[in-house]
Each structure stands twice: as structure tokens, then as C-alpha cells.
Amino acid sequence: MGDMADSQLGAYLASRRARVTPDQLNLPTTGLRRVPGLRREEVAMLAGLSVDYYTRLEQGRETRPSPQVLNALGAVLRLDDDGRRHLFHLAGLSPAPRAATAERVDPRLLQLMDSWHRQPALVYNRAYDVLASNELADALFGDFTFSRNLLMVVFNSPRARSFYVDWDDVAKNSVAGFRLNYGTAPEDPRIRTVLGELIESSAEFRALWSRHDARGKSLDTKTFQHPDVGRIVLSMQTFDVRSAPGQELVVYGAEPGSASAEALTLLGTLAASRRPTQAD
């Protein structure tokens, strides 16, 4: 894939260095600058490291920096909490995540999700495979007929760009979240499979993956253009499923009394009308 785990630390440092400008750190900007962002020498100086040591970090010849070094680099490179967490994971200095449980959702959580008739809800794993969804989520996403993997839907579904009104933002945030999951569990076979398929099939994914952005869910709302009920603006809440490492629960909701709430109600009615009837 051209993106092996032992090169990830250096690639991430280089990508973050390119995003910080000298002005942000009150550095002089005289003379010709051949690189975007900071020079290696500037990062090393500000972090209290030798230029040789920092260069070896970026080149992958030094892969086990101390927590003190990572904290200094995180400060210089203006990393947020997700970025610092990702940096520590890449350096092997964070606890390894608990192994993912079998791809099974707790029946009690399924029962709870099914009781939410006004909130679309779904559970996915670290690879963004949808493991469970309630009836309203199925109606919202068209029963996931293209794929049960959210990344595949975003990048490869022919209707994704019309369905996600803010497709560019959705794509960026999806890849950044996937990058964070990859840094947490780089040997997860399903993550590696999905990564390989997307790198092969989507130029847009490849471009975003090469940015090395890593952060958790940062979109508070999403706007959907649904073929049956029109535009729906929904807030999002994301929760870790404590009993199942690697699983996340996403619950969508509409502002009470809004046009989106009315659209959700209509969507639920349509879903109920299409529900197969069971023989007595």
C-alpha cells in the first residue's frame, strides 16, 4: 500500500510540520523558504532536539522517541488532543487497544436502538462497517443497498455526492477518523482490507489519506438530500460502546418543530408502510 506502519511516525511529523507557518510561532521569515510550513531545523530548535535526531525521526530511522520528546513536538506542531493521541500511538507509547470483540452488537443495545422511532441510530466498527442500524437509519441511508461500509458509501456510491450535501466535509472527516482508527489498530485485518480497497478504487480517498489528518468525529451536523423526503439537517452524537471495544454508536436527531423533524417523521411513516407484514 506504500503506507507501512514503520514509516507512519515520520510521515505524520512531516505532514504536520508542513501545516504550521513561521508566523504562528513568531519566527522570522526572511530569506527564501523552499518548503511549506516549518523547516526541520526550526522544529528541532523549538522542541529542544538536535537537527540530526529530528531528521532521523522523520526519515523513520528513529522510531521510539520518549514521551517528553513527543510532548515537545506536539506543542511545536500545534497538535490537538486527537493529534497528540495519534502521535503517541504511532510511536508505540500508548496502551494497545483491547482486541475488537466479535462483530456482534449487544442485544440490549439493539433493543434500545429499535425503540428510537424518531432518531436514526447505527453502530459501526473501527473499519466503519455498519454492524447494526435501526429502521429509521435504514430508511435514511437507503437500506445501505450499496454497501454496509460507510467509507465505501461516501467514496464509491454513485449517489453519495447528491445524498451528502456537504460531501467534501463529510469525506475529509471520514478519512481523518479512519486514520485515527488505523493509528490505534494498524494490524486490524478489516481496517487494512478496507484501506486497500479504497486506495485502489478512489482517487479522492487517496488524496485525503495522503494528508495524514487524524481526528475523531468533528461534524456536529450533517445535511442529507433524501430522494423521498428532501433535505434533512440532523445533529450527531457519537458514543463509544464500552462493552465492545472498537464499536461506536451514532445517533442522529432533528431540531424539534423543524422542517427536518417533519421530514424524519415522514421518513418513519414511509419505512413503516414498507415493513413486511408477518403472518399470524
Side-chain angles (χ1 to χ4, degrees), residues 154-215:
V154 169
F155 287 96
N156 290 337
S157 170
R159 62 185 287 262
R161 291 177 187 270
S162 59
F163 178 63
Y164 294 104
V165 174
D166 303 311
W167 184 88
D168 288 340
D169 290 335
V170 170
K172 290 175 185 176
N173 281 279
S174 297
V175 175
F178 188 63
R179 169 71 75 174
L180 195 65
N181 290 347
Y182 178 79
T184 301
E187 301 305 320
D188 184 305
R190 180 56 184 161
I191 289 178
R192 295 181 71 87
T193 295
V194 172
L195 175 60
E197 291 177 358
L198 285 164
I199 285 176
E200 180 69 24
S201 63
S202 173
E204 292 95 340
F205 178 86
R206 289 195 298 273
L208 290 171
W209 185 252
S210 69
R211 291 166 56 93
H212 287 266
D213 293 338
R215 61 180 176 273

Side-chain angles (χ1 to χ4, degrees), residues 254-274:
E255 184 70 23
S258 66
S260 293
E262 294 178 3
L264 265 189
T265 299
L266 176 57
L267 191 59
T269 301
L270 292 173
S273 70
R274 296 166 181 167

Side-chain angles (χ1 to χ4, degrees), residues 107-116 134 249:
R108 292 166 296 183
L109 178 55
L110 293 175
Q111 186 178 33
L112 180 63
M113 291 167 59
D114 287 340
S115 73
W116 294 334
N134 65 6
L249 167 68

Side-chain angles (χ1 to χ4, degrees), residues 234-278:
L234 300 178
S235 63
M236 296 172 53
Q237 295 290 333
T238 304
F239 308 91
D240 290 329
V241 180
R242 298 290 297 274
S243 62
Q247 291 184 10
E248 287 191 326
L249 167 68
V250 179
V251 183
Y252 297 90
E255 184 70 23
S258 66
S260 293
E262 294 178 3
L264 265 189
T265 299
L266 176 57
L267 191 59
T269 301
L270 292 173
S273 70
R274 296 166 181 167
R275 191 184 305 150
T277 58
Q278 295 182 350

Side-chain angles (χ1 to χ4, degrees), residues 11-258:
Y12 185 60
L13 288 171
S15 72
R16 299 307 93 183
R17 174 168 61 87
R19 302 288 178 86
V20 181
T21 66
D23 288 343
Q24 288 177 283
L25 300 178
N26 297 317
L27 293 174
T29 56
T30 56
L32 178 66
R33 301 186 70 88
R34 296 177 297 172
V35 297
L38 300 178
R39 300 184 177 105
R40 285 176 176 170
E41 295 83 355
E42 291 167 334
V43 175
M45 175 192 70
L46 292 170
L49 308 174
S50 72
V51 177
D52 177 67
Y53 181 80
Y54 180 75
T55 299
R56 285 188 282 121
L57 281 174
E58 276 202 9
Q59 293 177 344
R61 294 184 289 125
E62 173 61 56
T63 59
R64 295 296 178 184
S66 69
Q68 292 80 7
V69 166
L70 294 180
N71 281 325
L73 290 172
V76 172
L77 299 175
R78 300 294 185 90
L79 300 184
D80 60 15
D81 289 343
D82 284 335
R84 293 168 69 89
R85 191 178 304 114
H86 186 60
L87 181 66
F88 272 72
H89 275 302
L90 294 180
L93 289 176
S94 292
R98 288 188 290 161
T101 58
E103 305 291 45
R104 171 181 175 274
V105 179
D106 190 315
R108 292 166 296 183
L109 178 55
L110 293 175
Q111 186 178 33
L112 180 63
M113 291 167 59
D114 287 340
S115 73
W116 294 334
H117 301 299
R118 296 183 180 181
Q119 291 84 30
L122 53 87
V123 176
Y124 56 77
N125 62 12
R126 291 186 181 117
Y128 284 15
D129 295 317
V130 176
L131 306 178
S133 50
N134 65 6
E135 184 176 69
L136 197 51
D138 286 339
L140 176 64
F141 285 92
D143 292 325
F144 298 98
T145 50
F146 179 80
S147 173
R148 294 288 291 184
N149 182 277
L150 292 175
L151 283 172
M152 293 294 180
V153 170
V154 169
F155 287 96
N156 290 337
S157 170
R159 62 185 287 262
R161 291 177 187 270
S162 59
F163 178 63
Y164 294 104
V165 174
D166 303 311
W167 184 88
D168 288 340
D169 290 335
V170 170
K172 290 175 185 176
N173 281 279
S174 297
V175 175
F178 188 63
R179 169 71 75 174
L180 195 65
N181 290 347
Y182 178 79
T184 301
E187 301 305 320
D188 184 305
R190 180 56 184 161
I191 289 178
R192 295 181 71 87
T193 295
V194 172
L195 175 60
E197 291 177 358
L198 285 164
I199 285 176
E200 180 69 24
S201 63
S202 173
E204 292 95 340
F205 178 86
R206 289 195 298 273
L208 290 171
W209 185 252
S210 69
R211 291 166 56 93
H212 287 266
D213 293 338
R215 61 180 176 273
K217 290 288 185 183
S218 61
L219 288 180
D220 294 326
T221 62
K222 279 186 181 177
T223 304
F224 304 93
Q225 185 66 33
H226 195 277
D228 293 331
V229 299
R231 181 165 295 206
I232 311 177
V233 180
L234 300 178
S235 63
M236 296 172 53
Q237 295 290 333
T238 304
F239 308 91
D240 290 329
V241 180
R242 298 290 297 274
S243 62
Q247 291 184 10
E248 287 191 326
L249 167 68
V250 179
V251 183
Y252 297 90
E255 184 70 23
S258 66

